[in-house]
Short mmCIF file of all heavy atoms in Angstrom, two decimals:
data_model
loop_
_atom_site.label_atom_id
_atom_site.label_comp_id
_atom_site.label_asym_id
_atom_site.label_seq_id
_atom_site.Cartn_x
_atom_site.Cartn_y
_atom_site.Cartn_z
N GLN A 646 6.51 -9.75 -1.56
CA GLN A 646 5.06 -9.94 -1.62
C GLN A 646 4.37 -8.70 -1.09
O GLN A 646 4.79 -8.15 -0.06
CB GLN A 646 4.66 -11.17 -0.82
CG GLN A 646 5.13 -12.47 -1.45
CD GLN A 646 4.62 -13.70 -0.72
OE1 GLN A 646 4.43 -13.67 0.49
NE2 GLN A 646 4.38 -14.76 -1.46
N LEU A 647 3.32 -8.28 -1.79
CA LEU A 647 2.64 -7.04 -1.45
C LEU A 647 1.16 -7.32 -1.19
O LEU A 647 0.52 -8.03 -1.97
CB LEU A 647 2.77 -6.04 -2.60
CG LEU A 647 4.20 -5.70 -3.03
CD1 LEU A 647 4.19 -4.87 -4.31
CD2 LEU A 647 4.94 -4.96 -1.94
N VAL A 648 0.64 -6.75 -0.13
CA VAL A 648 -0.77 -6.93 0.21
C VAL A 648 -1.38 -5.57 0.49
O VAL A 648 -0.97 -4.88 1.44
CB VAL A 648 -0.94 -7.84 1.43
CG1 VAL A 648 -2.43 -7.98 1.77
CG2 VAL A 648 -0.32 -9.21 1.18
N GLU A 649 -2.36 -5.19 -0.34
CA GLU A 649 -3.05 -3.91 -0.17
C GLU A 649 -4.25 -4.06 0.76
O GLU A 649 -4.84 -5.13 0.85
CB GLU A 649 -3.53 -3.36 -1.51
CG GLU A 649 -2.48 -3.18 -2.57
CD GLU A 649 -2.39 -4.34 -3.53
OE1 GLU A 649 -2.79 -5.46 -3.14
OE2 GLU A 649 -1.94 -4.14 -4.68
N SER A 650 -4.61 -2.97 1.38
CA SER A 650 -5.82 -2.92 2.20
C SER A 650 -6.29 -1.48 2.27
O SER A 650 -5.56 -0.56 1.89
CB SER A 650 -5.55 -3.46 3.61
OG SER A 650 -4.57 -2.69 4.27
N GLY A 651 -7.52 -1.31 2.75
CA GLY A 651 -8.03 0.04 2.96
C GLY A 651 -9.03 0.53 1.93
O GLY A 651 -9.57 1.62 2.06
N GLY A 652 -9.28 -0.28 0.90
CA GLY A 652 -10.26 0.13 -0.09
C GLY A 652 -11.67 0.06 0.46
O GLY A 652 -11.90 -0.44 1.57
N GLY A 653 -12.62 0.57 -0.31
CA GLY A 653 -14.01 0.53 0.12
C GLY A 653 -14.87 1.47 -0.68
O GLY A 653 -14.46 1.97 -1.73
N LEU A 654 -16.07 1.71 -0.16
CA LEU A 654 -17.03 2.59 -0.79
C LEU A 654 -17.08 3.90 -0.03
O LEU A 654 -17.20 3.91 1.21
CB LEU A 654 -18.42 1.93 -0.78
CG LEU A 654 -19.59 2.76 -1.26
CD1 LEU A 654 -19.43 3.13 -2.73
CD2 LEU A 654 -20.90 2.02 -1.03
N VAL A 655 -16.98 5.00 -0.75
CA VAL A 655 -16.99 6.32 -0.12
C VAL A 655 -17.74 7.28 -1.02
O VAL A 655 -17.77 7.11 -2.25
CB VAL A 655 -15.54 6.80 0.14
CG1 VAL A 655 -14.78 6.99 -1.16
CG2 VAL A 655 -15.51 8.05 0.99
N GLN A 656 -18.34 8.29 -0.42
CA GLN A 656 -19.03 9.30 -1.21
C GLN A 656 -18.04 10.29 -1.80
O GLN A 656 -16.94 10.50 -1.25
CB GLN A 656 -20.04 10.05 -0.34
CG GLN A 656 -21.28 9.23 0.02
CD GLN A 656 -22.35 10.08 0.70
OE1 GLN A 656 -22.04 11.09 1.33
NE2 GLN A 656 -23.59 9.68 0.55
N ALA A 657 -18.42 10.90 -2.89
CA ALA A 657 -17.59 11.92 -3.50
C ALA A 657 -17.27 13.01 -2.48
O ALA A 657 -18.14 13.41 -1.70
CB ALA A 657 -18.28 12.52 -4.71
N GLY A 658 -16.01 13.43 -2.48
CA GLY A 658 -15.55 14.42 -1.52
C GLY A 658 -14.95 13.82 -0.28
O GLY A 658 -14.33 14.52 0.53
N GLY A 659 -15.13 12.51 -0.11
CA GLY A 659 -14.61 11.83 1.06
C GLY A 659 -13.16 11.43 0.91
O GLY A 659 -12.49 11.77 -0.07
N SER A 660 -12.67 10.68 1.91
CA SER A 660 -11.26 10.28 1.95
C SER A 660 -11.14 8.79 2.24
O SER A 660 -12.00 8.20 2.89
CB SER A 660 -10.53 11.05 3.05
OG SER A 660 -10.54 12.43 2.80
N LEU A 661 -10.05 8.24 1.77
CA LEU A 661 -9.66 6.87 2.09
C LEU A 661 -8.15 6.84 2.21
O LEU A 661 -7.45 7.62 1.55
CB LEU A 661 -10.09 5.87 1.01
CG LEU A 661 -11.54 5.39 0.98
CD1 LEU A 661 -11.77 4.51 -0.24
CD2 LEU A 661 -11.90 4.65 2.25
N ARG A 662 -7.65 5.90 3.00
CA ARG A 662 -6.22 5.68 3.10
C ARG A 662 -5.92 4.23 2.77
O ARG A 662 -6.35 3.33 3.47
CB ARG A 662 -5.73 5.99 4.51
CG ARG A 662 -4.20 5.97 4.63
CD ARG A 662 -3.79 5.96 6.07
NE ARG A 662 -2.38 6.30 6.27
CZ ARG A 662 -1.68 5.95 7.33
NH1 ARG A 662 -2.25 5.29 8.32
NH2 ARG A 662 -0.41 6.30 7.42
N LEU A 663 -5.20 4.04 1.67
CA LEU A 663 -4.79 2.70 1.28
C LEU A 663 -3.44 2.38 1.92
O LEU A 663 -2.58 3.26 2.05
CB LEU A 663 -4.67 2.59 -0.23
CG LEU A 663 -5.92 2.94 -1.05
CD1 LEU A 663 -5.66 2.68 -2.53
CD2 LEU A 663 -7.12 2.18 -0.57
N SER A 664 -3.28 1.12 2.30
CA SER A 664 -2.02 0.64 2.84
C SER A 664 -1.52 -0.52 2.00
O SER A 664 -2.31 -1.27 1.43
CB SER A 664 -2.19 0.17 4.30
OG SER A 664 -2.62 1.21 5.13
N CYS A 665 -0.22 -0.66 1.96
CA CYS A 665 0.39 -1.78 1.28
C CYS A 665 1.50 -2.32 2.18
O CYS A 665 2.44 -1.59 2.50
CB CYS A 665 0.96 -1.35 -0.07
SG CYS A 665 1.89 -2.62 -0.94
N ALA A 666 1.34 -3.56 2.59
CA ALA A 666 2.34 -4.20 3.44
C ALA A 666 3.24 -5.08 2.58
O ALA A 666 2.74 -5.88 1.77
CB ALA A 666 1.66 -5.04 4.51
N ALA A 667 4.53 -4.93 2.75
CA ALA A 667 5.50 -5.67 1.94
C ALA A 667 6.28 -6.64 2.79
O ALA A 667 6.64 -6.34 3.93
CB ALA A 667 6.45 -4.69 1.25
N SER A 668 6.55 -7.79 2.23
CA SER A 668 7.41 -8.76 2.91
C SER A 668 8.85 -8.50 2.52
O SER A 668 9.13 -7.75 1.59
CB SER A 668 7.02 -10.19 2.50
OG SER A 668 7.28 -10.36 1.11
N GLY A 669 9.77 -9.11 3.22
CA GLY A 669 11.18 -9.01 2.85
C GLY A 669 11.93 -7.99 3.66
O GLY A 669 11.35 -7.05 4.21
N ARG A 670 13.26 -8.14 3.67
CA ARG A 670 14.11 -7.29 4.49
C ARG A 670 14.65 -6.10 3.74
O ARG A 670 15.29 -5.24 4.33
CB ARG A 670 15.28 -8.11 5.01
CG ARG A 670 14.90 -9.31 5.85
CD ARG A 670 16.12 -10.08 6.30
NE ARG A 670 15.77 -11.29 7.03
CZ ARG A 670 16.64 -12.15 7.50
NH1 ARG A 670 17.93 -11.95 7.31
NH2 ARG A 670 16.23 -13.22 8.15
N THR A 671 14.40 -6.04 2.43
CA THR A 671 15.03 -5.01 1.63
C THR A 671 14.03 -4.00 1.11
O THR A 671 14.23 -3.40 0.06
CB THR A 671 15.78 -5.66 0.46
OG1 THR A 671 14.86 -6.42 -0.33
CG2 THR A 671 16.91 -6.53 0.96
N PHE A 672 12.95 -3.81 1.82
CA PHE A 672 11.88 -2.90 1.38
C PHE A 672 12.41 -1.53 1.04
O PHE A 672 12.00 -0.92 0.06
CB PHE A 672 10.82 -2.81 2.48
CG PHE A 672 9.74 -1.82 2.21
CD1 PHE A 672 8.71 -2.13 1.32
CD2 PHE A 672 9.74 -0.58 2.83
CE1 PHE A 672 7.70 -1.21 1.07
CE2 PHE A 672 8.73 0.34 2.58
CZ PHE A 672 7.72 0.02 1.69
N SER A 673 13.32 -1.03 1.84
CA SER A 673 13.81 0.33 1.64
C SER A 673 14.58 0.51 0.34
O SER A 673 14.80 1.64 -0.09
CB SER A 673 14.69 0.75 2.82
OG SER A 673 15.85 -0.07 2.88
N THR A 674 14.97 -0.57 -0.28
CA THR A 674 15.73 -0.48 -1.54
C THR A 674 14.83 -0.46 -2.77
O THR A 674 15.33 -0.39 -3.90
CB THR A 674 16.71 -1.66 -1.67
OG1 THR A 674 15.96 -2.88 -1.82
CG2 THR A 674 17.63 -1.76 -0.47
N TYR A 675 13.53 -0.51 -2.56
CA TYR A 675 12.59 -0.53 -3.68
C TYR A 675 11.88 0.81 -3.85
O TYR A 675 11.47 1.45 -2.87
CB TYR A 675 11.52 -1.62 -3.47
CG TYR A 675 12.05 -3.02 -3.69
CD1 TYR A 675 12.63 -3.73 -2.64
CD2 TYR A 675 11.98 -3.62 -4.93
CE1 TYR A 675 13.12 -5.01 -2.83
CE2 TYR A 675 12.47 -4.90 -5.13
CZ TYR A 675 13.02 -5.58 -4.08
OH TYR A 675 13.52 -6.85 -4.27
N ASN A 676 11.72 1.20 -5.09
CA ASN A 676 10.77 2.25 -5.41
C ASN A 676 9.37 1.65 -5.29
O ASN A 676 9.15 0.51 -5.69
CB ASN A 676 10.96 2.74 -6.85
CG ASN A 676 12.37 3.23 -7.10
OD1 ASN A 676 12.89 4.03 -6.34
ND2 ASN A 676 12.99 2.72 -8.15
N MET A 677 8.45 2.42 -4.76
CA MET A 677 7.09 1.92 -4.57
C MET A 677 6.11 2.77 -5.35
O MET A 677 6.23 4.00 -5.38
CB MET A 677 6.71 1.94 -3.09
CG MET A 677 7.61 1.07 -2.20
SD MET A 677 7.59 -0.66 -2.66
CE MET A 677 5.87 -1.09 -2.38
N GLY A 678 5.15 2.11 -5.96
CA GLY A 678 4.17 2.84 -6.75
C GLY A 678 2.76 2.37 -6.48
O GLY A 678 2.53 1.27 -5.98
N TRP A 679 1.83 3.25 -6.79
CA TRP A 679 0.40 2.92 -6.79
C TRP A 679 -0.11 3.12 -8.22
O TRP A 679 0.16 4.16 -8.85
CB TRP A 679 -0.39 3.80 -5.83
CG TRP A 679 -0.21 3.46 -4.38
CD1 TRP A 679 0.64 4.07 -3.49
CD2 TRP A 679 -0.90 2.45 -3.64
NE1 TRP A 679 0.53 3.49 -2.26
CE2 TRP A 679 -0.43 2.49 -2.32
CE3 TRP A 679 -1.89 1.51 -3.97
CZ2 TRP A 679 -0.89 1.64 -1.31
CZ3 TRP A 679 -2.35 0.66 -2.98
CH2 TRP A 679 -1.85 0.73 -1.67
#
């Protein structure tokens, strides 16, 4: 299960950091994409 966070409204030229929290014990065995 994947849950994203960190989105929002920002002005051009600004920055944001998105996070994705994953459930399960085998996270390291997965390729991850955005």
Side-chain angles (χ1 to χ4, degrees):
Q646 291 185 328
L647 304 171
V648 179
E649 304 96 336
S650 62
L654 173 64
V655 64
Q656 287 189 334
S660 298
L661 280 175
R662 188 193 195 203
L663 303 184
S664 299
C665 174
S668 65
R670 300 179 184 178
T671 59
F672 174 78
S673 64
T674 67
Y675 286 88
N676 303 310
M677 300 300 297
W679 285 98

